[in-house]
Amino acid sequence: MTEPRDEQNIPPPEGSFPDEAAEMVAETDVEAGAAGGDPATADPAADAAADAAADSADTAGEGADDELTLARIALEERTLDLQRLQAEFVNYKRRVERDRDLIKENATYAALAPITEVLDTIDRAREHEPLEGGFKAVAEQLERTVGAAGLTRYGAPGDPFDPSLHEALSHVGEDPEVSVTTCKIVAKAGYRIGDRVVRAAQVLVVDPAAEGAQPAPEEQGQQDQQDQ
């Protein structure tokens, strides 16, 4: 007579499906915990380190931006300082050149001003008689020398009277042929260096005739003789 089989006490054969399924589930749980998919198996220390690293990166980025801003501000300040120094140097250079020209002009003025009296003597000698011999050679050489140094002679009969260039010694009447006060006679020539007057020309001037004024008898007689 056959004994009944106790199915509950019969162990499952090796390699059966329940064992393999259990092993697969266990491996899946381990992998999920390692990957952080399961909050229960995640590592809090690793998460905190990751957050700290992210915060540190943000702080470093903000610090770099601040340093760049400060560098730009410093560059702008240095640029302004350089521009200011350059402008000051240009102004200094111009002032030095202007002072140098002024010193040169003053030195030339001081050297040539006394010579105008010698030139006046030469002019009076020419009016008396033509220059000859050695005196003529010396006079011409002196005139060339002062001319090369910048001394210029001016003033001639017929020039309009200019108070900044002429010194009126006297008025000698009126002249119907002039429309403005005019230099009639040049007693002493004027001299200047550039635009700077060394000595004003000394002149005798005539004024234009007043409207409706009758000419003097002598002038009328000369006019009648010219008409005839």
Side-chain angles (χ1 to χ4, degrees), residues 21 28 36 77 83 94-95 103 111 118 141 160 176 195 207 224-225:
T28 303
E77 292 177 352
Q83 292 175 349
R94 291 176 180 174
R95 185 168 57 254
I103 292 173
V118 180
Q141 184 177 6
D195 295 333
D207 296 323
D224 292 341
Q225 290 177 2

Side-chain angles (χ1 to χ4, degrees), residues 6-133:
D6 189 357
E7 297 180 356
Q8 293 180 355
N9 295 327
I10 297 174
E14 295 181 0
S16 62
F17 176 77
D19 293 338
E20 294 178 355
E23 291 177 359
M24 292 176 63
V25 171
E27 292 176 357
T28 303
D29 292 341
V30 172
E31 292 177 355
D38 188 359
T41 58
D43 188 357
D47 293 341
D51 293 340
D55 294 340
S56 177
D58 294 340
T59 304
E62 293 177 357
D65 293 339
D66 293 340
E67 291 180 358
L68 180 59
T69 302
L70 293 175
R72 289 177 178 174
I73 295 175
L75 177 61
E76 292 176 357
E77 292 177 352
R78 299 293 84 78
T79 302
L80 292 176
D81 292 341
L82 180 60
Q83 292 175 349
R84 182 168 53 254
L85 290 175
Q86 184 178 8
E88 292 177 355
F89 175 74
V90 171
N91 293 332
Y92 169 77
K93 184 177 180 181
R94 291 176 180 174
R95 185 168 57 254
V96 169
E97 292 177 353
R98 184 174 60 251
D99 293 344
R100 184 186 299 114
D101 294 340
L102 182 60
I103 292 173
K104 180 180 178 181
E105 182 179 339
N106 290 337
T108 304
Y109 179 92
L112 297 181
I115 300 179
T116 58
E117 298 297 334
V118 180
L119 299 176
D120 292 338
T121 302
I122 295 174
D123 290 339
R124 286 193 292 269
R126 282 198 179 99
E127 293 173 358
H128 181 68
E129 60 182 3
L131 302 182
E132 296 178 356

